[in-house]
Amino acid sequence: MPELYEVPRIKSNQGRLDISTSVQYLKGVGPKMAAHLAKLGLMTVEDLLRHYPREWEDRRQTLSLKEIQPDREMTLRGEILSSSFVETSRGFAIATASIQDPTGQLQCKWMRRKSFQYDVLQTLKKDIQPGKTILVHGKIARDFVPTMIVEEYEVLNGTQADSIHVNRIVPLYPVTEGISVKFLRNLIHTALSSASIPELLPEKVQSAHSLMRLEQALQEYHFPTRFQEKVKEALAFQELFCFQTVLALVRKKKESPKTYRNQIHKKFLTPFKEKCGFEFTLSQKKVIREIFEDMTSEFPMNRLLQGDVGSGKTIVALCAMLLACENDLQSVL
């Protein structure tokens, strides 16, 4: 059995959320949005932290407007010159903004399906106002004038450093109806910055394998500053360690004496060995001896026999079955 370690209890630092907190109590969620998140299995802050990106998109390169290329996804920056908002007879609401930088101009479009319950362009009407500087990411459409169909945007307040949607390596998450990738990205970013994340690995295990701390690994996995294999290694190691610890605890709990113990009578074993027509290998003898020790002990056997094709696993299994048969017990192959 692997060595068991005491796993720390989950405690919250002062002013930080416990990871068992319901997502409902995060800023911008509430009961209705919590119901949408539940469809993704996101019930707690910890569920959010463990809702890993399906992929990442590298949006670090911000190009000038003169470098626009049709049919390419690009990240661009400019000052808003004008904006307009219209509704079509086909059930769409469209926001349009003209932006410029020292090298040229670009028309940006946001398309939303209309709702009778609220104004789907309300946030855009507040954000895309003339004079503001904006980062936009999307595909450049083939049109009479350079046009981008905007997927993500960020209004800049004098700096790009705090942007989590553009101008960086951006995580893309699995979502469901009623939840946008941008909303989920914001929510996970909030959870990372406000939750108290307990370290589950013992210090000596962490040091022995030079592993990144869990809080840092989660931060770098969701919002990487660069792609690092050691982040995946840290998360995978922790998951496997916890899984093995649980299995060890379950096995320890089940280590109660058997109601019977096998006895070696050699009633079937000796004739079988004599008529096999070959001598068992040293490895086969060693494994058979270990299995017999398990079967004649007072505790249940928990063993996996592993070997290459043709190494004699079946003959070893037959010996164990014959021992069971000598004790009037059943076995199955």
Side-chain angles (χ1 to χ4, degrees), residues 7 25 30 56 71 82 115 129 133 168 182 239 250 253 255 279 295-296 329:
V7 178
Y25 300 106
W56 294 262
D71 299 326
S82 62
S115 170
Q129 292 296 322
T133 301
R168 62 167 300 129
K182 187 173 183 179
E239 187 173 331
V250 169
K253 188 176 181 181
E255 279 185 354
E279 182 70 21
M295 293 179 70
T296 56
L329 299 171

Side-chain angles (χ1 to χ4, degrees), residues 14 16-18 81 86 101 106 149 151 191 201 207 229 245 269 275:
Q14 188 173 4
R16 294 178 71 83
L17 288 174
D18 190 293
L81 294 176
V86 298
D101 71 3
L106 173 70
I149 307 301
E151 296 176 12
L201 290 180
S207 299
E229 279 300 316
T245 301
L269 288 167
K275 295 179 181 180

Side-chain angles (χ1 to χ4, degrees), residues 41-300:
L42 306 178
M43 316 291 286
T44 66
V45 171
E46 183 176 13
D47 293 335
L48 280 174
L49 300 178
R50 298 291 187 176
H51 188 67
Y52 297 131
R54 55 180 171 81
E55 60 180 322
W56 294 262
E57 197 166 68
D58 194 343
R59 300 179 184 176
R60 288 174 290 185
Q61 188 179 17
T62 303
L63 303 174
S64 63
L65 296 185
K66 73 174 182 180
E67 298 176 277
I68 290 171
Q69 297 179 30
D71 299 326
R72 272 194 62 191
E73 285 202 356
M74 309 180 78
T75 300
L76 303 165
R77 174 181 176 168
E79 181 184 343
I80 301 174
L81 294 176
S82 62
S83 58
S84 61
F85 310 91
V86 298
E87 294 185 357
T88 70
S89 57
R90 295 187 176 184
F92 285 95
I94 301 174
T96 305
S98 178
I99 69 171
Q100 71 169 6
D101 71 3
T103 67
Q105 292 189 10
L106 173 70
Q107 182 173 265
C108 301
K109 286 189 176 182
W110 291 259
M111 301 184 67
R112 303 284 188 267
R113 188 171 292 278
K114 287 195 297 186
S115 170
F116 295 107
Q117 298 177 327
Y118 64 97
D119 183 359
V120 295
L121 298 179
Q122 183 177 355
T123 301
L124 284 165
K125 288 176 180 178
K126 182 180 69 174
D127 287 345
I128 55 173
Q129 292 296 322
K132 290 185 177 181
T133 301
I134 190 171
L135 271 168
V136 288
H137 177 85
K139 192 171 185 179
I140 305 298
R142 292 184 178 273
D143 212 332
F144 295 108
V145 295
T147 303
M148 172 186 282
I149 307 301
V150 180
E151 296 176 12
E152 306 266 7
Y153 75 95
E154 190 89 6
V155 177
L156 302 178
N157 297 312
T159 178
Q160 300 179 32
D162 296 331
S163 174
I164 63 170
H165 307 295
V166 286
N167 203 47
R168 62 167 300 129
I169 300 172
V170 175
L172 303 178
Y173 297 98
V175 292
T176 188
E177 185 179 358
I179 298 176
S180 68
V181 174
K182 187 173 183 179
F183 171 81
L184 194 54
R185 191 182 299 130
N186 270 323
L187 196 61
I188 291 173
H189 188 265
T190 299
L192 282 167
S193 61
S194 59
S196 174
I197 302 173
E199 187 59 56
L200 299 181
L201 290 180
E203 186 65 38
K204 66 177 182 178
V205 174
Q206 206 165 45
S207 299
H209 297 276
S210 301
L211 295 171
M212 188 180 289
R213 294 189 67 80
L214 178 58
E215 185 171 359
Q216 182 186 0
L218 287 172
Q219 180 68 44
E220 281 294 316
Y221 198 70
H222 284 283
F223 297 97
T225 51
R226 58 189 176 90
F227 294 111
Q228 303 180 72
E229 279 300 316
K230 66 178 184 178
V231 177
K232 290 183 179 180
E233 289 174 9
L235 293 174
F237 188 98
Q238 187 211 72
E239 187 173 331
L240 286 171
F241 182 89
C242 292
F243 179 69
Q244 288 294 330
T245 301
V246 169
L247 286 181
L249 289 169
V250 169
R251 284 198 295 268
K252 188 173 181 65
K253 188 176 181 181
K254 289 185 176 181
E255 279 185 354
S256 54
K258 296 184 294 190
T259 56
Y260 64 90
R261 293 176 66 173
N262 289 283
Q263 302 293 327
I264 300 176
H265 303 293
K266 298 187 178 181
K267 177 181 176 182
F268 301 125
L269 288 167
T270 299
F272 174 71
K273 184 178 179 182
E274 290 173 350
K275 295 179 181 180
C276 267
F278 61 86
E279 182 70 21
F280 288 178
T281 67
L282 292 177
S283 294
Q284 288 171 340
K285 290 178 180 178
K286 176 177 179 291
V287 173
I288 290 171
R289 184 168 61 252
E290 290 175 354
I291 290 174
F292 281 10
E293 287 174 358
D294 283 348
M295 293 179 70
T296 56
S297 77
E298 60 179 318
F299 296 105

